[in-house]
Every structure is written in C-alpha cells, then in structure tokens.
Amino acid sequence: MVSCVEVTGERVLIVDDDDLILKALARVLESAGYDPRCHLSPDEALAAIEADQPVVVISDYMMPGMDGITFLEQTRARAPAAVRILCTAAEDFRVALQAVNAGEVFRIISKPWHQQELLATVHQAAEASRLRTENERLTREVQRQNGQLREINLRLEEMVRHRTQALLEGLIAALDYRDAETQWHSRRVSLYARRLAQALAIHEPDLTTIEHGALLHDIGKIGVRDRVLLKPGPLDTDEWTEMKRHPELGWALLQRVDYLRPASTIVLQHQEKWDGTGYPACIKGEEIVIGARIFHVVDTLDAMTSDRPYRKAKSFAEARTEIVRCTGTQFDPRVAEAFLTVPPEDWERIRLDVETVAVLSADLAETPPGHDELFSALHGALRN
Ligand SMILES: [Fe+2]
C-alpha cells in the first residue's frame, strides 16, 4: 500500500546524533522518492532548515545539547509549513507522547522502526504539510478576492450614487415641465428637511432618506392631469379627488426604484397631519413616519416664505409664529420644538442659496446640462 504513494523529491530534514541511524533513515526515505537532508546535530540542522524548507522534519529525541522536542519547537518559526516527527527509543516514549498531546509533534516513530510504518507516517506528514500549504494559499487567495470584491462593490456603489443623483434630477425636471415653481420648492424643502432632521439628531442613512422624500414629495403630480394640476381657480370635488391621489401615485412610482424605496413612505404620508386631519389615510401622531412629520413643518415654512399669486411672501419670523400656533394640531410638538432650536439664519441661507442657483440656471437655460451640475455642486456644499 505504501509503495503506491508517488513521491517526487520532497525534502525531509533528519537530525540524529547517531550516524548509522541517520544513514539508515535516509536510505529508506530515498528509496521512497524523498530527498533526505541529514544532520548530526540540532544546531547544524537549525542552521540549514531555512534554506532546505523541508515538508517533513524527523528528529531524534535524545541528543547532546538539545532534546528533540526543544529542537522541533525551534523549527516551527523557521519552517512553518514543515510537519514534525519525533523518532524515539521505547524508554523515552512517555515523554515523547506528552509532546504529541501538547500539539508540538505530528507523530512519533519508535526505534527500531518498522519500514512500512515509518514510510506511512512520513507520507501522512508530507500530505498534512501539503494540505497546510494549500490551505494557506487558498486563504491568501480568498483574502485577495475579498479585497477585489470590496473594491468592485465600492465602484458599484459610486455608480449607483451617480445614477441615482441623475435619476432624481430627471424626476424633478419632469415635474418642473408641468409646474414651473415646483422644482425650487422641492429643492428648498429637501434641504430644510435635512437641516431639521439634523436638529433632531437623526443620522445617515436616514438623513438622505428624509432629504429624498422631501425632494420627491410631489412627484406623484406627474400623474395628475394638466387641467387639474394647472387649473388657476379652485378645484371642484372630482378634481380634488384626483389631486389627492398624488401621494399614492408618488409612492407607487418610488416602489420601482430600489434606492428610493425607503423614501416612498415619506412621499405617501407627506400630506398627513399630526391630528389626523390630513390625507390620504388620515393617520395621526407617530403613526406618521418622522420624515413626513419633518416635511410637514418645513413645507409650511417654505409655503409661507414664498410668493404666491394671491399674496407676497411672509417673513421667517411670521412663519415661525404660525408653526408655533399649529403645534400639536398640524405639527408634531417634538419636531416643532427642534425647528425652534435652528437659528433663523440657517433657513434664510438655504433659501438664498437655492435662489442663487435658480437665477444662475435661468441664465444657463440655453445649455441645460450645466443646470444639474450647478445644483449638484450646491447640494454637495450644503450637505457638508
Ligand atoms: Fe403634495
């Protein structure tokens, strides 16, 4: 059985202070196809082992200067892939067995040895060494591939972020074709909502979800007919019914985009009020997601501080008074309280920044690509 194992010159380091034993062991191993490297002392063997890099080390137990267990221990760092075998006379067998049990030694060969048993043990040791080396190689390979995978994932995430930003710009632009004031309102409330969410100690990724929800809150209006959406006068009952479908239409639209799905509930609930008098589900209090409760406050802020066809814009101070007045009815008291902690200059600065972009992008209307880049740049600056 042993003779069936094919060995092609694998190195076996042997150390024994008895020259006859050394030669006898070498002969047996050579006949089995191994490449034995013989040393008469542990020191000589240690000096040679790093250059030899054997797959198996066989050491005598009783040697002058250093016993076999100490020697084998020292080979561990110098030839990590080598598997260690202790060759010992029967009277030292008990000590040697302790070394095996302590995990220092792979097997013991007793002197005098039985040739077939000796070769079987060396074959097993060489096989164990091969497996160990292969295992280490595979571990390194897996680590390398994991590193590559991480890199690919990062690149993919970056691509998704880019495309998502382009998609958001596209969606907002689509709505803007229908209703020109919408996009600046949407962009202002998205930045207001992020600022208010920060005041409520909300962190990423929720900040981005809230920002997306506020930015796209009216996206469902894409599905409302022109004669309803753009009607100058008051809407009749049927028209109102159609208009009030826009949160659900927006929600359904965002369901189709994985990356935007977290923001869809904010879109669905953006017309709900704290006291349950909103639509479409008339839910109240904390049944409404925090992003929608935040949106509701900043939407009022923006509506009041913007010009309307029938009235001029009011001041931020007046908007503040109105938000305080409606706390507990329209607005979540906790969100309204956080709103009051934000310095008024922060709201005014966001409004001014978006206005600047609106003016600049009107100038750039002839070259539309500049418009989105401009807003992306501003958007990035405001987020930092
Ligand atoms: Fe709306």
CSV table of all heavy atoms in Angstrom, one decimal, residues 12 53 75 87 91 99 108 153 211 217 274-275 288 305 307 314 320 346 348 354 361 373:
chain,number,residue,atom,x,y,z
A,12,VAL,N,13.0,16.0,3.2
A,12,VAL,CA,12.8,15.6,4.6
A,12,VAL,C,14.0,15.9,5.3
A,12,VAL,O,15.1,15.4,5.0
A,12,VAL,CB,12.4,14.1,4.7
A,12,VAL,CG1,12.2,13.7,6.1
A,12,VAL,CG2,11.1,13.8,3.9
A,53,GLN,N,14.0,24.3,3.6
A,53,GLN,CA,12.5,24.3,3.6
A,53,GLN,C,11.9,23.0,3.4
A,53,GLN,O,11.2,22.7,2.4
A,53,GLN,CB,12.0,25.3,2.6
A,53,GLN,CG,12.1,26.8,3.0
A,53,GLN,CD,11.4,27.1,4.4
A,53,GLN,OE1,10.3,26.8,4.6
A,53,GLN,NE2,12.1,27.8,5.3
A,75,THR,N,12.1,24.7,15.2
A,75,THR,CA,11.9,24.6,13.7
A,75,THR,C,10.6,25.3,13.3
A,75,THR,O,10.5,25.7,12.1
A,75,THR,CB,11.9,23.2,13.2
A,75,THR,OG1,10.7,22.5,13.7
A,75,THR,CG2,13.1,22.4,13.6
A,87,CYS,N,11.5,10.8,16.6
A,87,CYS,CA,12.0,9.5,16.5
A,87,CYS,C,12.6,9.1,17.8
A,87,CYS,O,13.5,9.7,18.3
A,87,CYS,CB,13.0,9.4,15.4
A,87,CYS,SG,13.4,7.8,14.8
A,91,GLU,N,12.2,3.7,25.7
A,91,GLU,CA,12.2,4.2,27.1
A,91,GLU,C,11.8,5.7,27.2
A,91,GLU,O,11.5,6.2,28.3
A,91,GLU,CB,13.6,3.9,27.8
A,91,GLU,CG,14.8,4.6,27.1
A,91,GLU,CD,15.4,3.7,26.0
A,91,GLU,OE1,14.7,2.8,25.5
A,91,GLU,OE2,16.6,3.8,25.7
A,99,ALA,N,4.6,15.3,24.2
A,99,ALA,CA,4.8,16.3,23.2
A,99,ALA,C,3.8,16.2,22.1
A,99,ALA,O,3.3,17.2,21.6
A,99,ALA,CB,6.2,16.1,22.6
A,108,ILE,N,4.9,10.0,16.4
A,108,ILE,CA,6.2,9.5,16.9
A,108,ILE,C,6.6,8.3,16.2
A,108,ILE,O,5.7,7.5,15.8
A,108,ILE,CB,6.0,9.1,18.4
A,108,ILE,CG1,5.6,10.3,19.3
A,108,ILE,CG2,7.4,8.6,19.0
A,108,ILE,CD1,5.2,9.9,20.7
A,153,ASN,N,-17.3,46.5,-5.2
A,153,ASN,CA,-18.5,47.0,-4.5
A,153,ASN,C,-18.5,48.5,-4.4
A,153,ASN,O,-19.5,49.2,-4.6
A,153,ASN,CB,-18.7,46.3,-3.2
A,153,ASN,CG,-19.4,45.0,-3.3
A,153,ASN,OD1,-20.2,44.8,-4.2
A,153,ASN,ND2,-19.3,44.2,-2.3
A,211,GLU,N,-34.2,63.5,3.1
A,211,GLU,CA,-34.0,64.5,2.0
A,211,GLU,C,-34.6,64.1,0.7
A,211,GLU,O,-35.3,64.9,0.0
A,211,GLU,CB,-32.4,64.6,1.8
A,211,GLU,CG,-32.1,65.8,0.9
A,211,GLU,CD,-30.5,65.8,0.7
A,211,GLU,OE1,-29.8,65.6,1.7
A,211,GLU,OE2,-30.1,66.0,-0.4
A,217,HIS,N,-41.5,64.7,-2.8
A,217,HIS,CA,-42.8,64.6,-2.2
A,217,HIS,C,-44.0,64.7,-3.2
A,217,HIS,O,-45.0,64.0,-3.1
A,217,HIS,CB,-43.0,65.6,-1.0
A,217,HIS,CG,-43.1,67.0,-1.4
A,217,HIS,ND1,-42.0,67.8,-1.7
A,217,HIS,CD2,-44.1,67.8,-1.6
A,217,HIS,CE1,-42.3,69.0,-2.1
A,217,HIS,NE2,-43.6,69.1,-2.0
A,274,TRP,N,-50.5,65.8,12.0
A,274,TRP,CA,-50.3,65.3,13.4
A,274,TRP,C,-51.7,64.9,14.0
A,274,TRP,O,-51.8,63.9,14.7
A,274,TRP,CB,-49.6,66.3,14.2
A,274,TRP,CG,-49.3,65.9,15.7
A,274,TRP,CD1,-49.9,66.4,16.8
A,274,TRP,CD2,-48.4,64.9,16.1
A,274,TRP,NE1,-49.4,65.8,17.9
A,274,TRP,CE2,-48.4,64.9,17.5
A,274,TRP,CE3,-47.4,64.1,15.5
A,274,TRP,CZ2,-47.6,64.1,18.3
A,274,TRP,CZ3,-46.6,63.3,16.2
A,274,TRP,CH2,-46.7,63.2,17.6
A,275,ASP,N,-52.8,65.7,13.8
A,275,ASP,CA,-54.0,65.5,14.5
A,275,ASP,C,-55.0,64.6,13.6
A,275,ASP,O,-56.1,64.4,14.0
A,275,ASP,CB,-54.8,66.8,14.8
A,275,ASP,CG,-55.0,67.6,13.6
A,275,ASP,OD1,-54.8,67.1,12.4
A,275,ASP,OD2,-55.5,68.8,13.7
A,288,ILE,N,-47.5,58.5,11.7
A,288,ILE,CA,-46.9,59.1,10.5
A,288,ILE,C,-45.4,59.1,10.7
A,288,ILE,O,-44.9,59.3,11.8
A,288,ILE,CB,-47.3,60.6,10.5
A,288,ILE,CG1,-48.8,60.8,10.5
A,288,ILE,CG2,-46.7,61.3,9.2
A,288,ILE,CD1,-49.3,62.2,10.8
A,305,THR,N,-43.0,81.5,3.3
A,305,THR,CA,-41.9,82.5,3.0
A,305,THR,C,-41.7,82.6,1.4
A,305,THR,O,-40.7,83.1,1.0
A,305,THR,CB,-40.6,82.1,3.7
A,305,THR,OG1,-40.3,80.7,3.3
A,305,THR,CG2,-40.7,82.2,5.2
A,307,ASP,N,-43.5,83.7,-2.4
A,307,ASP,CA,-44.5,84.5,-3.0
A,307,ASP,C,-45.6,83.6,-3.6
A,307,ASP,O,-45.3,82.5,-4.1
A,307,ASP,CB,-44.0,85.3,-4.2
A,307,ASP,CG,-43.2,86.6,-3.7
A,307,ASP,OD1,-43.5,87.0,-2.6
A,307,ASP,OD2,-42.3,87.0,-4.5
A,314,LYS,N,-44.2,85.9,3.2
A,314,LYS,CA,-44.2,86.5,4.6
A,314,LYS,C,-42.7,86.2,5.1
A,314,LYS,O,-41.9,85.5,4.5
A,314,LYS,CB,-45.2,85.7,5.5
A,314,LYS,CG,-46.6,86.0,5.0
A,314,LYS,CD,-47.6,85.6,6.0
A,314,LYS,CE,-48.9,86.2,5.7
A,314,LYS,NZ,-50.1,85.5,5.8
A,320,ARG,N,-42.5,81.3,11.7
A,320,ARG,CA,-42.2,80.7,13.0
A,320,ARG,C,-43.4,80.8,13.9
A,320,ARG,O,-43.8,79.8,14.5
A,320,ARG,CB,-41.0,81.5,13.5
A,320,ARG,CG,-40.2,80.9,14.6
A,320,ARG,CD,-39.1,81.9,14.9
A,320,ARG,NE,-38.6,81.7,16.2
A,320,ARG,CZ,-37.5,80.9,16.5
A,320,ARG,NH1,-36.9,80.3,15.6
A,320,ARG,NH2,-37.2,80.8,17.8
A,346,ASP,N,-30.0,80.0,9.3
A,346,ASP,CA,-29.8,78.8,8.6
A,346,ASP,C,-30.9,78.6,7.5
A,346,ASP,O,-30.6,78.2,6.4
A,346,ASP,CB,-29.9,77.6,9.6
A,346,ASP,CG,-28.6,77.4,10.4
A,346,ASP,OD1,-27.9,78.4,10.5
A,346,ASP,OD2,-28.3,76.3,10.9
A,348,GLU,N,-32.7,81.0,6.2
A,348,GLU,CA,-32.6,82.0,5.2
A,348,GLU,C,-31.4,81.8,4.3
A,348,GLU,O,-31.5,82.0,3.1
A,348,GLU,CB,-32.4,83.4,5.9
A,348,GLU,CG,-33.7,83.9,6.5
A,348,GLU,CD,-33.6,85.1,7.4
A,348,GLU,OE1,-32.8,86.0,7.1
A,348,GLU,OE2,-34.4,85.2,8.3
A,354,VAL,N,-30.5,78.4,-2.7
A,354,VAL,CA,-31.3,77.8,-3.8
A,354,VAL,C,-31.8,78.9,-4.8
A,354,VAL,O,-31.8,78.7,-6.0
A,354,VAL,CB,-32.5,77.1,-3.2
A,354,VAL,CG1,-33.4,76.5,-4.3
A,354,VAL,CG2,-32.1,75.9,-2.3
A,361,SER,N,-29.3,79.2,-13.1
A,361,SER,CA,-29.7,78.2,-14.0
A,361,SER,C,-30.7,78.8,-15.1
A,361,SER,O,-30.8,78.3,-16.2
A,361,SER,CB,-30.3,77.0,-13.3
A,361,SER,OG,-31.4,77.4,-12.6
A,373,GLU,N,-25.5,70.1,-12.9
A,373,GLU,CA,-24.2,70.1,-12.3
A,373,GLU,C,-24.1,71.2,-11.3
A,373,GLU,O,-23.5,71.0,-10.2
A,373,GLU,CB,-23.1,70.3,-13.4
A,373,GLU,CG,-22.8,69.1,-14.2
A,373,GLU,CD,-22.2,69.4,-15.5
A,373,GLU,OE1,-21.6,70.4,-15.6
A,373,GLU,OE2,-22.4,68.5,-16.4
